[in-house]
Amino acid sequence: MRTPAFTTTPARGTGAGVGHAAPALGPLGLFTVLLGAALPLIDFFIVNVALPTIDHDLAAGPAMLELVVAGYGLSYAVLLVLGGRLGDLFGRRRLFLAGMAAFGVTSLACGLAPDAWTLVGARVAQGASAALMLPQVLATIHSSTTGARRAKALSLYGATAGLAMVAGQILGGVLVAANVAGSGWRAIFLVNVPVAVAGLLLAVRTVPETRSERPAPVDVPGTLLLGLALLTLLAPLTEGRAAGWPLWTWVALAIFPFAAGAFWWVELRADRRGRTPLVPPSLLGLVSLRRGLALVLPFSIGFGGFMFVIAVALQQGLRMSAVVSGLALVPMAVAFFGASLAGPRLVRRWGTRIVTAGALVQALGIGLLALAAWGSWPGLSAWSLLPGMAVAGLGQGLQLPVLFRVVLSEVPADRAGVGSGVMVTTQQSALALGVATLGSLFLSLSASGSMGTALTVTLLIQVAAVLLTALMSLRLPRTVS
C-alpha cells in the first residue's frame, strides 16, 4: 500500500520551508501542546464533583446529569479519529488552534447555560472541540521530535494525561467550594476561557506546522460507521441505568456488533484497494501498536470507573465536601507525576517490564483502598485513603506514559495523526466505558445495600482486572524506542 510522503510547512518564526527537515518542537511549544492535552481530560473528570450542585441549581435529575457527562464523552470519542485525519489533511497546528478556540467558546457556553438541556448541548459541542484539538498533540510530538527528545516528550505527555485526569476532580472541588463571585459550578467551565486564550497566543508563535504532503481524503463511510458503533455502545451503557433501561437501549446494543463489523469490513476493503481508511487495519499489523492498545483499553476502563466511583462514594456516601473529596486524590496525583517523570530512565534500564511492575504496584494500592473501605466504612477519612491512593498513583504513573510510547513507537511520521487518533479514541472510549460499567455496577450495588460494601466489591473487581493486565504486559516488546 502506498503511504504519503511527509513534509512540513513553516510555523511563524521557524524559517522552515516545504521539503526541509521538520521544525523541532521547542520547550515552550511542548508546554503549549501539553496544555492542549490537559484541558479536554480535565473537563472529562472535573464535572464529577460538581454534579450535586448542577442538579440543585438546574433541577437536572439523574438522567440529565448522566447526559452532562456522557454527551461530552460521546462526541469526544466519536470524532477523535476524524480530528487526527483532519490534522494530517489541513495541518496539525491549524487544527490545534481551531480546536483550542472552539474549546474556549464552548466552555463559555457551558458556564453561561441557563438550563440543563442547554448545558448538555454545550457539553456535546465542547467534546467535539476537544476532538479537534487533542489528536494534534501526539501527532505534533511524533512528527517534530526524535530519539531521546521524543521519549521525554511522550513521558511528559503521559504525566500530563494522568495528572489532568486526577487534577480535574481536585480542581473541580476547589472551584465549586470557592464559589467565586457566586459562580458555583459554572466556574469549572469558565476557568477554561482565559486558559484557552493564553494557549492560542502561545500556539501561534511556538507550535510548528506539520502535515502529510499527499494526505488522504476523509473516509466518510468509515467515519459514519465508527460514529454509529461507538454511539450504539456508549450511549445505552451510560444512559441505560438512569433511564431505567428503556427499549432504545437494548435496540442500540443489538445494533452495535453489526455496526462494528460493517466498519471493519469497509476499512479492510479500502486498505486492500490502496486507499487510506479512517483506521487502516494495516496499522494493527504493528505489534507494538496492537499490544499497546490491548493494555491502554483495560487501564483506561479501570481509571475512568475508579474516578467516578470514588467521587460518588466520598461525596454522597461519606458526605465529604467537594474540596475534601478532591484533596483525597492529591497523593495519587503527586505519585503519578513523580513516577511518570522517572519513566524514561527506568525504561532504559528495565524496558517494558516496568509496565508489569507498575500494574502489580497499582493492584496493591487499589487493594489497600478496598481494605480501608471494608474496615473503616462509614468512618473512612481522607487520611485513611492516603496510603492506597499514593501506591495506586505510583503504579499508574509507571504504566501509562510507557504504554503511549509503545503504541506510537513504530507508527510512521506521515501517519502520526491516524496513529494518535486511534490511541486517544481507544483511551477516551474506554474512560467512558469505565464510567458506564464500573459506575453502573457500583450504583446498583449501593441501591441494594451498603455503599461501603459496593465500593469494596468494585475495587476488588478492579484489582482482578489490573492483575490480568500485568499478565498481558508480558507480551509487550521488551524494548521501546
Side-chain angles (χ1 to χ4, degrees):
M1 184 180 67
R2 186 181 67 182
T3 56
F6 172 72
T7 188
T8 62
T9 57
R12 185 179 300 181
T14 64
V18 174
H20 288 236
L25 183 67
L28 191 55
L30 178 60
F31 170 81
T32 304
V33 294
L34 291 180
L35 178 65
L39 282 175
L41 291 169
I42 286 174
D43 264 60
F44 184 85
F45 291 97
I46 200 171
V47 175
N48 285 345
V49 294
L51 291 177
T53 54
I54 293 174
D55 186 19
H56 179 268
D57 288 357
L58 302 183
M64 192 64 69
L65 291 177
E66 292 273 7
L67 277 176
V68 170
V69 177
Y72 177 87
L74 283 171
S75 63
Y76 187 16
V78 165
L79 296 173
L80 273 168
V81 178
L82 178 61
R85 173 61 59 82
L86 291 175
D88 288 346
L89 185 64
F90 296 110
R92 293 154 191 151
R93 173 174 170 269
R94 182 177 297 176
L95 264 292
F96 181 82
L97 290 169
M100 179 73 80
F103 194 83
V105 171
T106 53
S107 294
L108 180 64
C110 288
L112 299 179
D115 54 59
W117 277 112
T118 304
L119 177 59
V120 169
R123 283 283 284 172
V124 170
Q126 189 186 35
S129 303
L132 285 181
M133 177 170 57
L134 186 61
Q136 319 315 327
V137 176
L138 276 172
T140 298
I141 290 172
H142 192 66
S143 58
S144 59
T145 60
T146 57
R149 291 184 65 251
R150 179 184 293 176
K152 181 178 180 182
L154 287 175
S155 293
L156 287 172
Y157 175 88
T160 300
L163 193 61
M165 290 187 283
V166 179
Q169 291 186 194
I170 299 172
L171 179 62
V174 171
L175 288 173
V176 170
N179 195 25
V180 180
S183 58
W185 59 268
R186 299 178 187 276
I188 68 173
F189 301 115
L190 296 176
V191 72
N192 292 332
V193 178
V195 177
V197 171
L200 282 170
L201 295 175
L202 286 171
V204 165
R205 303 202 62 86
T206 65
V207 177
E209 181 67 285
T210 60
R211 61 158 64 90
S212 296
E213 187 180 71
R214 291 186 296 273
V218 173
D219 175 13
V220 175
T223 300
L224 293 176
L225 285 170
L226 177 62
L228 179 63
L230 291 174
L231 193 65
T232 53
L233 174 66
L234 296 177
L237 288 179
T238 51
E239 279 295 297
R241 187 198 59 83
W245 297 103
L247 178 62
W248 72 264
T249 60
W250 299 108
V251 172
L253 288 172
I255 292 172
F256 165 69
F258 296 100
F263 168 72
W264 185 250
W265 180 80
V266 165
E267 300 299 274
L268 196 61
R269 187 165 176 253
D271 213 6
R272 287 172 175 169
R273 292 186 174 185
R275 297 195 293 266
T276 305
L278 186 70
V279 180
S282 56
L283 270 184
L284 296 180
L286 301 175
V287 174
S288 58
L289 182 139
R290 185 174 67 249
R291 295 182 181 176
L293 286 180
L295 288 174
V296 169
L297 183 65
F299 180 94
S300 300
I301 288 174
F303 201 110
F306 173 83
M307 296 301 290
F308 175 80
V309 166
I310 205 70
V312 174
L314 297 186
Q315 285 192 268
Q316 296 184 14
L318 297 178
R319 303 298 178 187
M320 288 186 183
S321 67
V323 172
V324 174
S325 65
L327 291 178
L329 296 170
V330 168
M332 176 177 283
V334 172
F336 190 108
F337 190 68
S340 299
L341 295 182
R345 185 175 67 255
L346 295 172
V347 169
R348 283 195 298 271
R349 181 170 182 181
W350 302 104
T352 57
R353 289 298 176 262
I354 199 66
V355 176
T356 309
L360 294 175
V361 172
Q362 182 190 3
L364 174 62
I366 297 173
L368 290 174
L369 291 172
L371 186 63
W374 177 258
S376 302
W377 194 276
L380 193 64
S381 68
W383 285 109
S384 59
L385 292 172
L386 192 153
M389 287 287 187
V391 175
L394 179 66
Q396 292 162 345
L398 292 174
Q399 295 174 78
L400 191 60
V402 182
L403 290 176
F404 287 159
R405 285 180 60 184
V406 169
V407 170
L408 295 177
S409 60
E410 297 178 357
V411 176
D414 62 286
R415 291 192 167 192
V418 178
S420 61
V422 170
M423 189 180 76
V424 293
T425 297
T426 301
Q427 181 193 22
Q428 182 60 38
S429 302
L431 288 172
L433 193 57
V435 174
T437 53
L438 290 175
S440 294
L441 171 66
F442 169 75
L443 292 173
S444 298
L445 292 174
S446 299
S448 58
S450 163
M451 189 173 285
T453 302
L455 177 60
T456 303
V457 171
T458 306
L459 290 174
L460 289 177
I461 290 173
Q462 191 177 353
V463 168
V466 172
L467 290 175
L468 179 61
T469 63
L471 289 174
M472 294 171 59
S473 69
L474 297 174
R475 300 185 70 242
L476 291 173
R478 286 298 301 268
T479 59
V480 58
S481 59

